[in-house]
Amino acid sequence: MNLFEIIGAVIGLFYIVSEYRADRWFWPLSLLMSAFYAVIDFTSGIYANGAICVYNFVMSVYGLLVWRGIIQSKTKEERSISSCPRRYWWQLVLLAVVLSVALTWLLGLLHESRYTLTNGLTVDLSLLDGISSALTIVGMLMLAQKWWQQWFCWMLVEPMMIVIFVLTGNYASAVLYAVFEVFCILGIIRWKKESIS
C-alpha cells in the first residue's frame, strides 16, 4: 500500500458521498478519482479496469454536462433523479452480457489478468475483471442519465473489485470498495425515494 493509493481512497470517499447526495461536486470528483485509479490499476496490472477508468474520465465530462442541463435538456435546468425507462432495460442487459463475454475473452487471450500471489499461486482474474468492467460501462451510462437503478450495477461491481484489489495487494482500495458497497444500498434507498418517475 502506498501514499498514492491512500490519496486515491480518500478521494474515493468524497466521491461516493457526493454520488450518494447527487450533488454538483460529484462529477469533478469522478474526474479526479478516475485519473488516480487509472494510474493505480495500470501499475497493478489490472488493465481492463484501468482502461475503464479512462472511459470513466470521459464519461464524467459527459455526465457533468447532462446533469447540469447543458446537453440533453430543453429547459437547460439541472437534471433530476429519475427511473430508467423500461424500453432501455433489455438493451442495457444485452450490452452488459456482450461486453462481459468480449472483455473476459480478450483478457484471457492476452493473459493480462493473471496474478502471482505471495504464496506463488497464480490466479486468473479475467472473468472478474471482464464482468466488473462491463458492468462499470453500463453503470456509468446509467449514472450519466441520473437513473436511480445505476446503483444496482455498482452493487454487483464492488464485491468483484474487492476480490481483485485484495489479490493484487491494493488493500486501501479494497476497504474503499467495501465502503462503496454500503453506499450502494443507501444510494438505492435515497435515489429511489427522490426519483421523479
Side-chain angles (χ1 to χ4, degrees):
M1 188 162 41
N2 60 40
L3 181 61
F4 195 78
E5 185 188 359
I6 293 169
I7 293 169
V10 170
I11 292 167
L13 288 173
F14 285 106
Y15 161 92
I16 193 66
V17 170
S18 181
E19 180 181 5
Y20 167 75
R21 295 176 54 205
D23 71 27
R24 59 185 18 230
W25 287 103
F26 169 69
W27 289 111
L29 286 167
S30 181
L31 287 165
L32 189 57
M33 185 173 160
S34 297
F36 263 83
Y37 270 90
V39 172
I40 290 168
D41 289 343
F42 282 123
T43 58
S44 298
I46 310 170
Y47 299 110
N49 203 59
I52 291 302
C53 289
V54 174
Y55 163 80
N56 287 351
F57 189 90
V58 173
M59 284 299 293
S60 294
V61 173
Y62 173 73
L64 176 70
L65 297 174
V66 171
W67 277 31
R68 299 242 172 116
I70 297 169
I71 60 174
Q72 290 190 352
S73 173
K74 294 176 184 173
T75 63
K76 301 297 181 195
E77 293 177 2
E78 184 142 348
R79 183 173 286 217
S80 299
I81 296 170
S82 63
S83 184
C84 176
R86 289 182 188 227
R87 67 183 180 273
Y88 295 126
W89 276 106
W90 72 269
Q91 296 168 16
L92 293 168
V93 170
L94 182 62
L95 179 62
V97 170
V98 169
L99 286 173
S100 293
V101 170
L103 291 171
T104 299
W105 173 78
L106 182 62
L107 289 166
L109 184 69
L110 298 174
H111 304 291
E112 293 297 342
S113 290
R114 289 191 180 163
Y115 305 97
T116 302
L117 307 179
T118 54
N119 62 5
L121 181 67
T122 300
V123 295
D124 186 348
L125 298 176
S126 300
L127 183 63
L128 287 180
D129 205 2
I131 293 171
S132 64
S133 297
L135 288 171
T136 298
I137 290 170
V138 173
M140 283 300 283
L141 287 170
M142 296 175 75
L143 178 56
Q145 298 303 317
K146 218 169 184 179
W147 292 333
W148 71 266
Q149 292 93 340
Q150 54 93 16
W151 289 103
F152 290 113
C153 290
W154 308 126
M155 186 178 280
L156 296 171
V157 168
E158 311 314 0
M160 289 184 262
M161 291 309 301
I162 291 168
V163 170
I164 290 171
F165 283 132
V166 166
L167 291 176
T168 57
N170 294 304
Y171 302 113
S173 298
V175 171
L176 174 66
Y177 277 70
V179 172
F180 282 3
E181 185 68 12
V182 173
F183 271 93
C184 288
I185 297 164
L186 299 173
I188 289 169
I189 295 166
R190 179 176 180 154
W191 279 43
K192 185 175 182 184
K193 188 183 295 184
E194 293 183 11
S195 175
I196 59 170
S197 59

